[in-house]
Amino acid sequence: MALPDALQTIVNDIAAAARGKDPEAFLAAGQRLADRFHEASRQDLDAAVTLLAPVLTDAPESLGGPLAQYLGSLIGMDGDATPVLDTLVEHACRALEGTRQFVALYDELVGPVPERAECGEREYEQFVAAAASRIDDPGAVARSWMYAESWVQPVLFLGQRADVRRALPQRERLTAAAIAAEDDLPGLAPWLVGLLRILDDEPLVVLHRPTGTAFRVTISGVSDNFQLHTLLGAHIIPLLPVARRGVLRRRDTSGLPAAPTPAMLAAADGSGDLAPAGGLTGQFNLVDGLGAWIWNEGRPDEIPLIDGVRVIVLDPPPYQRGWDSGRAYPLLCASVEATPLPNDEARMWLSRIKPAKPLDQATKASEALVWSDDMAVALPSGRDVADVVNYTLAASARGVSGLELETAVAGEFSLSAEDSALAVDRVFGGITRAATLNEANRPDPVKDPIAFESYRQALERSEA
C-alpha cells in the first residue's frame, strides 16, 4: 500500500538517516514524524511500521532506541505490533542483560557507576579498556547500558496490551533479564516485571462464603490485588443471591456489600480515570483456599493453586479498606468474566477450603513476609539440584513457560506451588548471574544451590 507523499518522505528520511548513521538528520525526521503522525490513518501508520521494521533491525544502538520509541508511538494501543515485536523484545533483552553486566563490571573495575546523562566518551573508554580482558565486546555492553531506557520503554508501553503480552517472544529470557536489572534500571525494569507477571485468560474459582455460592471466573490484565479486589466486587456482587422478605417478597440487599461505583470499576478495568474522586473502597476480605489472607499489595500470580486452579474466598471485611488508584498501569485494560457454579460444585469447593485465619494471625503472617537469603528447596530422596536445572531448562526449550512450567516442576519433584516457583526463578537467576562473567555474582552453593548449579552449567556452556 502506498503511503501519502508527506508520510512516505518522512519514512524515507528516517530510514536513510539511520542507515547513514546521521543523528542530526534522524532526529529532524523523527520530529517531523512526531508532528504529523496524529494526522495519519491507522492503515497508513501500520504500513509505515512495516516499512521501518527492517531499519530497526539494522540500526545502530544510538539511533535504534529512539526509532523503537517512534515505532511504539505509531503502533499505540490499536496498531499492529507484529512486524517489530521480535526485534523490540530481542533488543530489550540485550539492553537489560547488558545493563546488569555493565553495572557489575563498571563498579568492580572502574568505580561508582555514573548517571547515564553524565556518561560520555571518557567513561565509555575507561570501561572498554578495563573490561577488555573480561568480556568479548565491552563496547556493546556499554552501549546496551547507555541506551537501555529507549529500548525497554517501547516494550513496557506496548506490554500494556493483552494481545502483545500473549504474543511476546522470549518471555522467560525477558523476565529473567528484567528481574536481574530491577535495581539498575529502577524506573522501568520493575514495572516490566509487573507486566510480565500478569495472568491473562487465567481461570479462578471464587467462593462467597456468607452465601455459599461459587463462581468460575476468568481474569485478564489484572496486575495487583487492589485491582482484582475491585473487579471481583463489581462482577460478583450483582450475581449473589438476594433474600426476599415480607408479604410482597421484596428484595433485601442489606446483607450484601455495596458494589463498587461505576467510577471505581472504570478505574480498575481501564475504561476511566485511574484515580476516581473519593478513591476506592474494599468490599471483602480476600482469603485463599488454605485460609491465608490475600493482601491487596500482592499479585494474582501469588495466589496458591488447588488442583490446578487458584481459589479465592470472599469473606466480610474485618475493617474498612480504602486506596487511591484503581490500576497500576495507566493504559492497562482488564477483564473479568464470572459464571455461577451449580450448587453441588459450590458445596464441593466450600467443603475443601480452610477457615480464614483470624486478624491477629494474618497480621503476624504479613509482618513475617520478609526476603530470606536462604533460597534452598527441599527435594525428594534421590533427586538433586542438577535434576531440577536440567528438567527446567529442557522443558523451557520445548516452549513450556510461566505457570505451566512451574506446575510441571512441582509435579516432577513433588514441590509446593511456592517452592516450584522459587526453583524456576533460581534456575533462570543463575543463568542471569553467569551472563555477567563476574565471580562476585556467583550464587552461594549452600544458601542458593539451584542458582549455583544453573550458574555453573551456564559457564560450562559458554566455555564449550
Side-chain angles (χ1 to χ4, degrees), residues 236-408:
I236 295 296
I237 291 174
L239 300 178
L240 295 176
V242 177
R244 292 185 178 272
R245 306 190 189 281
V247 176
L248 299 179
R249 308 298 293 163
R250 290 187 173 133
R251 290 164 52 89
D252 180 4
T253 61
S254 61
L256 299 179
T261 66
M264 293 178 188
L265 174 57
D269 69 15
S271 62
D273 292 339
L274 58 84
L280 297 93
T281 55
Q283 292 75 42
F284 308 111
N285 191 46
L286 273 60
V287 178
D288 67 29
L290 304 177
W293 287 26
I294 299 173
W295 296 95
N296 283 343
E297 293 79 5
R299 299 178 187 271
D301 68 346
E302 298 166 343
I303 299 170
L305 298 166
I306 296 179
D307 286 347
V309 65
R310 301 179 199 279
V311 176
I312 300 174
V313 183
L314 307 178
D315 282 336
Y319 53 85
Q320 182 70 33
R321 289 188 176 104
W323 53 94
D324 296 326
S325 180
R327 60 189 186 276
Y329 297 86
L331 301 177
L332 183 67
C333 290
S335 65
V336 171
E337 297 178 2
T339 303
L341 290 176
N343 290 337
D344 57 342
E345 287 190 48
R347 285 192 294 270
M348 181 274 293
W349 280 109
L350 287 162
S351 71
R352 300 183 61 188
I353 61 173
K354 303 293 185 182
K357 297 184 185 301
L359 175 60
D360 58 341
Q361 292 184 24
T363 304
K364 290 176 182 177
S366 173
E367 292 171 348
L369 289 176
V370 295
W371 287 109
S372 167
D373 62 355
D374 187 349
M375 300 281 187
V377 172
L379 298 174
S381 177
R383 309 303 295 270
D384 59 24
V385 293
D387 294 333
V388 175
V389 173
N390 294 333
Y391 180 87
T392 302
L393 294 180
S396 179
R398 296 194 304 271
V400 181
S401 63
L403 176 60
E404 184 182 359
L405 179 59
E406 292 175 11
T407 302

Side-chain angles (χ1 to χ4, degrees), residues 5-263:
D5 290 345
L7 184 56
Q8 183 68 63
T9 299
I10 294 172
V11 168
N12 291 343
D13 289 348
I14 289 175
R19 289 173 175 141
K21 300 181 180 180
D22 184 342
E24 291 187 8
F26 177 86
L27 293 174
Q31 185 58 55
R32 286 159 47 213
L33 178 65
D35 293 339
R36 298 290 299 273
F37 86 92
H38 297 288
E39 304 169 3
S41 68
R42 178 74 267 160
Q43 191 174 19
D44 288 341
L45 293 176
D46 284 345
V49 169
T50 299
L51 291 173
L52 288 170
V55 182
L56 180 69
T57 301
D58 299 330
E61 289 97 331
S62 59
L63 301 182
L67 178 56
Q69 293 182 308
Y70 294 153
L71 289 168
S73 297
L74 295 183
I75 296 166
M77 290 292 106
D78 59 352
D80 183 8
T82 305
V84 296
L85 190 57
D86 283 352
T87 302
L88 289 175
V89 172
E90 173 63 28
H91 279 277
C93 287
R94 292 183 195 174
L96 292 162
E97 292 162 350
T99 290
R100 177 82 286 270
Q101 192 173 15
F102 174 86
V103 170
L105 286 175
Y106 195 101
D107 187 65
E108 176 192 356
L109 302 175
V110 181
V113 179
E115 297 291 333
R116 280 183 179 79
E118 299 171 0
C119 185
E121 192 67 26
R122 182 176 66 87
E123 289 80 9
Y124 176 85
E125 290 178 354
Q126 281 182 321
F127 175 78
V128 169
S133 62
R134 295 283 294 273
I135 55 178
D136 291 337
D137 193 348
V141 170
R143 291 189 296 273
S144 292
W145 174 78
M146 292 171 66
Y147 304 112
E149 293 178 346
S150 57
W151 279 113
V152 174
Q153 191 276 336
V155 177
L156 177 62
F157 170 69
L158 294 172
Q160 294 177 76
R161 290 172 42 174
D163 63 318
V164 171
R165 291 194 301 276
R166 293 185 181 104
L168 272 179
Q170 303 192 77
R171 193 183 187 103
E172 293 292 345
R173 179 189 175 194
L174 182 62
T175 302
I179 290 172
E182 282 187 294
D183 292 337
D184 308 315
L185 199 61
L188 292 174
W191 292 97
L192 181 57
V193 171
L195 277 180
L196 293 169
R197 290 182 61 180
I198 286 175
L199 303 174
D200 289 305
D201 307 311
E202 179 73 7
L204 310 173
V205 169
V206 178
L207 310 173
H208 186 246
R209 198 176 337 235
T211 60
T213 50
F215 304 85
R216 179 72 63 179
V217 175
T218 302
I219 61 170
S220 292
V222 181
S223 65
D224 60 38
N225 294 338
F226 286 106
Q227 187 181 14
L228 178 63
H229 192 140
T230 301
L231 292 168
L232 289 178
H235 290 272
I236 295 296
I237 291 174
L239 300 178
L240 295 176
V242 177
R244 292 185 178 272
R245 306 190 189 281
V247 176
L248 299 179
R249 308 298 293 163
R250 290 187 173 133
R251 290 164 52 89
D252 180 4
T253 61
S254 61
L256 299 179
T261 66

